[in-house]
Amino acid sequence: MDKTVLLSFDVEEFDIPLEYGHTISETEQMKVGYEGFEAIANLIEKLNIEVTAFTTANFANHYSDAVFRFSNKHEIASHTYYHSAFQIADLKTSRLKLEEITGKPVTGLRMPRMKEVNMQDVMDAGYLYDSSINPTFLPGRYNNLHLPRTMYTDNGMLRLPASVSPRFRFPLFWLSFKNFPYPVYLSLLKAALKKDGYVCIYFHPWEFVNLDAYRLPAYVKRHAGPILLQRLERLVNDLKPMARFRSSDKFLLNRG
């Protein structure tokens, strides 16, 4: 079995209501984020797979014991310090804080909302790879159709893009998983897995919490909570016969 699934989660404050003009306290942001983190941690344990958690240092500071426990079996990578605020210094300080909490090297970075970042700054902060690219077109967010679909080097930094379908670059990220019919999503994912030998897909723990109380677009709230947990479990079980689930750092180390 030479194919690999790189399943990751952006472990962060539940601050997405702020994007739509709705106030939510930091306490509630953390509470919802942690509830989702516990839900996916329990599912991953049940499924016996290995994943990567791109984690904000802010979240890890609030729930250091949970993040430490998770790091015993899975990779902890950086999602910078805060999800809704950023300065260049956060690249290094977030890495150091996560290393302090986990007692392990932190080698990977994913910027919140796949925000563009200078690769020299990422290298200077001590990272070995960056996974902040979605090589597709997402209106209002980014247009990365000119970038490679698969792993490449950018000014000396290894970059690991999120997976898109081979032909038309349909994104295979969290919103697609929620909104595409499951057979369609699975078919597109299998096509990418067959062509590329691996897929890199990501979700957010807060997606796995009931979001009925929040005024969010339907395409964000769709299938949230236990229904999405069941959907993810189905996906993992459908992929297990054809691919191995690995953390990003171990996969990249194996690829040299």
Side-chain angles (χ1 to χ4, degrees):
M1 186 184 297
D2 60 351
K3 291 181 172 51
T4 304
V5 176
L6 305 174
L7 173 61
S8 62
F9 298 88
D10 292 354
V11 179
E12 62 199 31
E13 305 89 304
F14 173 62
D15 59 1
I16 193 169
L18 300 178
E19 292 188 48
Y20 299 97
H22 306 306
T23 301
I24 179 172
S25 69
E26 183 180 13
T27 298
E28 190 169 2
Q29 291 178 38
M30 290 296 172
K31 177 178 177 293
V32 175
Y34 179 69
E35 184 180 344
F37 184 62
E38 286 291 282
I40 62 106
N42 290 336
L43 178 63
I44 289 166
E45 182 71 21
K46 173 185 174 181
L47 294 171
N48 192 29
I49 57 174
E50 185 178 81
V51 305
T52 296
F54 290 91
T55 310
T56 66
N58 189 30
F59 182 93
N61 266 331
H62 281 76
Y63 302 107
S64 56
D65 289 346
V67 171
F68 174 76
R69 289 194 303 271
F70 198 79
S71 74
N72 288 330
K73 294 184 179 180
H74 309 284
E75 177 190 10
I76 300 295
S78 175
H79 203 38
T80 71
Y81 216 99
Y82 302 98
H83 196 254
S84 287
F86 175 71
Q87 53 187 355
I88 297 300
D90 293 343
L91 295 173
K92 184 174 183 179
T93 56
S94 64
R95 178 179 65 81
L96 294 177
K97 175 54 68 174
L98 292 171
E99 289 182 343
E100 175 188 320
I101 290 171
T102 64
K104 296 178 174 64
V106 171
T107 59
L109 170 74
R110 178 176 292 151
M111 292 293 292
R113 302 179 180 91
M114 296 290 196
K115 182 179 178 180
E116 186 175 351
V117 63
N118 183 280
M119 287 299 101
Q120 187 60 56
D121 291 335
V122 177
M123 286 189 284
D124 290 346
Y127 295 96
L128 299 182
Y129 77 92
D130 170 77
S131 188
S132 305
I133 290 288
N134 199 344
T136 188
F137 172 61
L138 192 62
R141 287 287 193 189
Y142 37 71
N143 184 355
N144 294 322
L145 294 175
H146 62 290
L147 295 176
R149 288 181 51 258
T150 56
M151 291 182 293
Y152 67 102
T153 301
D154 179 359
N155 293 317
M157 173 60 66
L158 180 63
R159 307 204 73 175
L160 178 65
S163 289
V164 295
S165 67
R167 294 190 61 190
F168 299 106
R169 293 201 179 208
F170 289 119
L172 300 174
F173 65 159
W174 63 286
L175 283 173
S176 303
F177 187 63
K178 283 172 168 287
N179 291 287
F180 287 7
Y182 180 82
V184 173
Y185 180 86
L186 182 61
S187 176
L188 292 171
L189 195 64
K190 285 181 176 180
L193 187 61
K194 180 179 180 180
K195 181 172 179 58
D196 303 330
Y198 76 95
V199 288
C200 176
I201 55 176
Y202 68 97
F203 306 95
H204 310 87
W206 52 259
E207 296 177 62
F208 300 90
V209 174
N210 188 311
L211 301 178
D212 288 346
Y214 303 97
R215 288 182 291 168
L216 296 169
Y219 61 84
V220 172
K221 295 172 67 168
R222 183 174 172 81
H223 294 316
I227 293 176
L228 196 65
L229 275 175
Q230 295 169 10
R231 195 175 176 93
L232 181 59
E233 181 173 5
R234 179 182 177 186
L235 180 69
V236 171
N237 287 328
D238 282 343
L239 293 175
K240 270 186 173 182
M242 64 189 75
R244 179 181 180 184
F245 285 76
R246 302 192 73 183
S247 61
S248 299
D249 58 347
K250 290 182 181 177
F251 171 73
L252 295 172
L253 181 63
N254 186 61
R255 295 286 291 259

